[in-house]
Amino acid sequence: MGVLAFSGSFPATVYAMQGFDPWLVAIGRAVIAGAIALACLKAAELPLLPPRRHWPAYAAISMGVVFGFPVFSGLALDLGASTAHSAVVIGLLPAATAACAVLRAGERPRPLFWAGCTAGAVAITAFTFAQSAQGTPTWPDLLLVGALLSAAIGYTEGGRLSRETPGWQVISYVLVLSLPLTLPASTVLALTTPINPTPASLAGFGYVGVISMFLGFVPWYAGLARGGIARAGQTQLTQPLLTLLWAWFLMGERFGPATVAGALAVLVCVAITQRART
């Protein structure tokens, strides 16, 4: 359920940016989700802030999934990266998440795990070189790498906290702790950037705010906590292919054999890391 929710994020972001500034879409989505989080915590009669001992972990999650991933990926799409191309580059996210989980949990994976990670990185690098007219990674590619690393950190820390705190509370606390930054920033952006809302852009903004930024994390963090961060992250193997389908169905994007081959190559490499993680 979490992967299905996240798979529509790139197309929804593109639609949202048709009527709103990329920075407003990236930051404002957390305000929408933050309002929902506040309502959920109040309805459950829970404290609006988590225990102080967990604040560093919540700060890491916030930097990863509230600011890092939305900003980096949104700017990459705004600079011309297609949703199909972005989906393939982000396809290494499950391996990055597994690597972060290994480092944080102190596991000692077999050499095959690191071989799979290296092969995936090589496949992504070859794909970006082949897709670039200059033969070198472009700014959108570098931004997508930043988005990938940000999400991996946010997923790992969120999965760890969800072992003792329900997933919906984890993402709620992250969003509430971020509101002192996201709310004023979004207000300034809303007042200083052009806004031309259309039904499609409003729908896209609503999707990334309600589903990508809140509802998708509820089953996602719960799954990571119950199945293990590295192992449960294997379900995200399907996300690049799902995003390709959304890009084709909703936006009419066309992608060649290289994009499909890149997605499948990443899937194989990440599958190796998941099977050889211990």
PDB file of all heavy atoms in Angstrom, residues 168-185:
ATOM      1  N   TRP A 168       1.831   5.705  11.999  1.00  0.00           N
ATOM      2  CA  TRP A 168       1.088   6.941  11.757  1.00  0.00           C
ATOM      3  C   TRP A 168       1.481   8.021  12.756  1.00  0.00           C
ATOM      4  O   TRP A 168       1.492   9.209  12.427  1.00  0.00           O
ATOM      5  CB  TRP A 168      -0.424   6.692  11.804  1.00  0.00           C
ATOM      6  CG  TRP A 168      -1.005   6.500  13.174  1.00  0.00           C
ATOM      7  CD1 TRP A 168      -1.181   5.329  13.836  1.00  0.00           C
ATOM      8  CD2 TRP A 168      -1.498   7.523  14.046  1.00  0.00           C
ATOM      9  NE1 TRP A 168      -1.753   5.550  15.068  1.00  0.00           N
ATOM     10  CE2 TRP A 168      -1.960   6.883  15.216  1.00  0.00           C
ATOM     11  CE3 TRP A 168      -1.587   8.916  13.937  1.00  0.00           C
ATOM     12  CZ2 TRP A 168      -2.502   7.588  16.290  1.00  0.00           C
ATOM     13  CZ3 TRP A 168      -2.126   9.618  15.011  1.00  0.00           C
ATOM     14  CH2 TRP A 168      -2.575   8.969  16.172  1.00  0.00           C
ATOM     15  N   GLN A 169       1.861   7.593  13.976  1.00  0.00           N
ATOM     16  CA  GLN A 169       2.315   8.574  14.960  1.00  0.00           C
ATOM     17  C   GLN A 169       3.697   9.107  14.599  1.00  0.00           C
ATOM     18  O   GLN A 169       3.994  10.286  14.794  1.00  0.00           O
ATOM     19  CB  GLN A 169       2.334   7.950  16.353  1.00  0.00           C
ATOM     20  CG  GLN A 169       0.957   7.633  16.907  1.00  0.00           C
ATOM     21  CD  GLN A 169       1.021   7.054  18.303  1.00  0.00           C
ATOM     22  OE1 GLN A 169       1.896   7.400  19.101  1.00  0.00           O
ATOM     23  NE2 GLN A 169       0.095   6.137  18.615  1.00  0.00           N
ATOM     24  N   VAL A 170       4.550   8.232  14.066  1.00  0.00           N
ATOM     25  CA  VAL A 170       5.896   8.669  13.682  1.00  0.00           C
ATOM     26  C   VAL A 170       5.822   9.767  12.625  1.00  0.00           C
ATOM     27  O   VAL A 170       6.413  10.847  12.779  1.00  0.00           O
ATOM     28  CB  VAL A 170       6.726   7.477  13.158  1.00  0.00           C
ATOM     29  CG1 VAL A 170       8.044   7.968  12.553  1.00  0.00           C
ATOM     30  CG2 VAL A 170       7.012   6.496  14.284  1.00  0.00           C
ATOM     31  N   ILE A 171       5.089   9.518  11.535  1.00  0.00           N
ATOM     32  CA  ILE A 171       5.024  10.539  10.487  1.00  0.00           C
ATOM     33  C   ILE A 171       4.275  11.768  10.979  1.00  0.00           C
ATOM     34  O   ILE A 171       4.593  12.902  10.584  1.00  0.00           O
ATOM     35  CB  ILE A 171       4.377   9.959   9.207  1.00  0.00           C
ATOM     36  CG1 ILE A 171       4.535  10.942   8.047  1.00  0.00           C
ATOM     37  CG2 ILE A 171       2.937   9.583   9.432  1.00  0.00           C
ATOM     38  CD1 ILE A 171       5.962  11.303   7.698  1.00  0.00           C
ATOM     39  N   SER A 172       3.306  11.592  11.882  1.00  0.00           N
ATOM     40  CA  SER A 172       2.583  12.741  12.425  1.00  0.00           C
ATOM     41  C   SER A 172       3.517  13.627  13.237  1.00  0.00           C
ATOM     42  O   SER A 172       3.510  14.857  13.102  1.00  0.00           O
ATOM     43  CB  SER A 172       1.409  12.276  13.295  1.00  0.00           C
ATOM     44  OG  SER A 172       0.424  11.622  12.532  1.00  0.00           O
ATOM     45  N   TYR A 173       4.324  13.023  14.105  1.00  0.00           N
ATOM     46  CA  TYR A 173       5.254  13.807  14.906  1.00  0.00           C
ATOM     47  C   TYR A 173       6.293  14.504  14.027  1.00  0.00           C
ATOM     48  O   TYR A 173       6.688  15.647  14.293  1.00  0.00           O
ATOM     49  CB  TYR A 173       5.953  12.908  15.932  1.00  0.00           C
ATOM     50  CG  TYR A 173       5.073  12.511  17.098  1.00  0.00           C
ATOM     51  CD1 TYR A 173       5.067  11.195  17.585  1.00  0.00           C
ATOM     52  CD2 TYR A 173       4.249  13.440  17.724  1.00  0.00           C
ATOM     53  CE1 TYR A 173       4.262  10.832  18.649  1.00  0.00           C
ATOM     54  CE2 TYR A 173       3.440  13.084  18.794  1.00  0.00           C
ATOM     55  CZ  TYR A 173       3.450  11.781  19.251  1.00  0.00           C
ATOM     56  OH  TYR A 173       2.649  11.411  20.304  1.00  0.00           O
ATOM     57  N   VAL A 174       6.744  13.817  12.987  1.00  0.00           N
ATOM     58  CA  VAL A 174       7.703  14.437  12.058  1.00  0.00           C
ATOM     59  C   VAL A 174       7.104  15.699  11.448  1.00  0.00           C
ATOM     60  O   VAL A 174       7.751  16.760  11.389  1.00  0.00           O
ATOM     61  CB  VAL A 174       8.097  13.440  10.947  1.00  0.00           C
ATOM     62  CG1 VAL A 174       8.873  14.152   9.845  1.00  0.00           C
ATOM     63  CG2 VAL A 174       8.923  12.305  11.523  1.00  0.00           C
ATOM     64  N   LEU A 175       5.878  15.601  10.993  1.00  0.00           N
ATOM     65  CA  LEU A 175       5.225  16.732  10.322  1.00  0.00           C
ATOM     66  C   LEU A 175       4.945  17.868  11.291  1.00  0.00           C
ATOM     67  O   LEU A 175       5.106  19.043  10.945  1.00  0.00           O
ATOM     68  CB  LEU A 175       3.934  16.252   9.660  1.00  0.00           C
ATOM     69  CG  LEU A 175       4.128  15.296   8.478  1.00  0.00           C
ATOM     70  CD1 LEU A 175       2.823  14.591   8.138  1.00  0.00           C
ATOM     71  CD2 LEU A 175       4.657  16.051   7.266  1.00  0.00           C
ATOM     72  N   VAL A 176       4.527  17.535  12.504  1.00  0.00           N
ATOM     73  CA  VAL A 176       4.239  18.576  13.496  1.00  0.00           C
ATOM     74  C   VAL A 176       5.515  19.293  13.905  1.00  0.00           C
ATOM     75  O   VAL A 176       5.541  20.533  14.021  1.00  0.00           O
ATOM     76  CB  VAL A 176       3.526  17.955  14.717  1.00  0.00           C
ATOM     77  CG1 VAL A 176       3.439  18.967  15.856  1.00  0.00           C
ATOM     78  CG2 VAL A 176       2.129  17.482  14.333  1.00  0.00           C
ATOM     79  N   LEU A 177       6.589  18.547  14.134  1.00  0.00           N
ATOM     80  CA  LEU A 177       7.867  19.175  14.490  1.00  0.00           C
ATOM     81  C   LEU A 177       8.408  20.050  13.360  1.00  0.00           C
ATOM     82  O   LEU A 177       9.182  20.992  13.602  1.00  0.00           O
ATOM     83  CB  LEU A 177       8.891  18.093  14.837  1.00  0.00           C
ATOM     84  CG  LEU A 177       8.712  17.390  16.185  1.00  0.00           C
ATOM     85  CD1 LEU A 177       9.678  16.213  16.304  1.00  0.00           C
ATOM     86  CD2 LEU A 177       8.935  18.363  17.338  1.00  0.00           C
ATOM     87  N   SER A 178       7.997  19.753  12.129  1.00  0.00           N
ATOM     88  CA  SER A 178       8.478  20.525  10.976  1.00  0.00           C
ATOM     89  C   SER A 178       7.651  21.775  10.713  1.00  0.00           C
ATOM     90  O   SER A 178       8.106  22.662   9.978  1.00  0.00           O
ATOM     91  CB  SER A 178       8.465  19.647   9.719  1.00  0.00           C
ATOM     92  OG  SER A 178       9.245  18.486   9.884  1.00  0.00           O
ATOM     93  N   LEU A 179       6.449  21.850  11.275  1.00  0.00           N
ATOM     94  CA  LEU A 179       5.550  22.974  10.980  1.00  0.00           C
ATOM     95  C   LEU A 179       6.152  24.358  11.270  1.00  0.00           C
ATOM     96  O   LEU A 179       5.894  25.303  10.512  1.00  0.00           O
ATOM     97  CB  LEU A 179       4.237  22.809  11.740  1.00  0.00           C
ATOM     98  CG  LEU A 179       3.209  21.880  11.096  1.00  0.00           C
ATOM     99  CD1 LEU A 179       1.996  21.710  12.002  1.00  0.00           C
ATOM    100  CD2 LEU A 179       2.772  22.425   9.732  1.00  0.00           C
ATOM    101  N   PRO A 180       6.949  24.543  12.338  1.00  0.00           N
ATOM    102  CA  PRO A 180       7.546  25.872  12.557  1.00  0.00           C
ATOM    103  C   PRO A 180       8.424  26.341  11.402  1.00  0.00           C
ATOM    104  O   PRO A 180       8.686  27.546  11.267  1.00  0.00           O
ATOM    105  CB  PRO A 180       8.363  25.674  13.835  1.00  0.00           C
ATOM    106  CG  PRO A 180       7.649  24.583  14.564  1.00  0.00           C
ATOM    107  CD  PRO A 180       7.184  23.644  13.483  1.00  0.00           C
ATOM    108  N   LEU A 181       8.882  25.418  10.567  1.00  0.00           N
ATOM    109  CA  LEU A 181       9.663  25.783   9.384  1.00  0.00           C
ATOM    110  C   LEU A 181       8.807  25.772   8.119  1.00  0.00           C
ATOM    111  O   LEU A 181       8.885  26.689   7.298  1.00  0.00           O
ATOM    112  CB  LEU A 181      10.847  24.821   9.210  1.00  0.00           C
ATOM    113  CG  LEU A 181      11.935  24.858  10.287  1.00  0.00           C
ATOM    114  CD1 LEU A 181      12.978  23.782  10.007  1.00  0.00           C
ATOM    115  CD2 LEU A 181      12.595  26.234  10.340  1.00  0.00           C
ATOM    116  N   THR A 182       8.006  24.727   7.962  1.00  0.00           N
ATOM    117  CA  THR A 182       7.247  24.582   6.714  1.00  0.00           C
ATOM    118  C   THR A 182       6.123  25.603   6.581  1.00  0.00           C
ATOM    119  O   THR A 182       5.859  26.086   5.479  1.00  0.00           O
ATOM    120  CB  THR A 182       6.663  23.164   6.597  1.00  0.00           C
ATOM    121  OG1 THR A 182       5.833  22.889   7.735  1.00  0.00           O
ATOM    122  CG2 THR A 182       7.781  22.137   6.538  1.00  0.00           C
ATOM    123  N   LEU A 183       5.451  25.938   7.685  1.00  0.00           N
ATOM    124  CA  LEU A 183       4.315  26.855   7.604  1.00  0.00           C
ATOM    125  C   LEU A 183       4.727  28.266   7.208  1.00  0.00           C
ATOM    126  O   LEU A 183       4.181  28.816   6.243  1.00  0.00           O
ATOM    127  CB  LEU A 183       3.542  26.852   8.918  1.00  0.00           C
ATOM    128  CG  LEU A 183       2.274  27.715   8.948  1.00  0.00           C
ATOM    129  CD1 LEU A 183       1.323  27.308   7.833  1.00  0.00           C
ATOM    130  CD2 LEU A 183       1.588  27.597  10.312  1.00  0.00           C
ATOM    131  N   PRO A 184       5.698  28.906   7.900  1.00  0.00           N
ATOM    132  CA  PRO A 184       6.098  30.249   7.456  1.00  0.00           C
ATOM    133  C   PRO A 184       6.738  30.262   6.075  1.00  0.00           C
ATOM    134  O   PRO A 184       6.516  31.191   5.292  1.00  0.00           O
ATOM    135  CB  PRO A 184       7.088  30.701   8.536  1.00  0.00           C
ATOM    136  CG  PRO A 184       7.515  29.473   9.244  1.00  0.00           C
ATOM    137  CD  PRO A 184       6.386  28.511   9.151  1.00  0.00           C
ATOM    138  N   ALA A 185       7.526  29.223   5.754  1.00  0.00           N
ATOM    139  CA  ALA A 185       8.151  29.176   4.433  1.00  0.00           C
ATOM    140  C   ALA A 185       7.090  29.080   3.342  1.00  0.00           C
ATOM    141  O   ALA A 185       7.170  29.769   2.314  1.00  0.00           O
ATOM    142  CB  ALA A 185       9.115  27.999   4.342  1.00  0.00           C
TER     143      ALA A 185
END
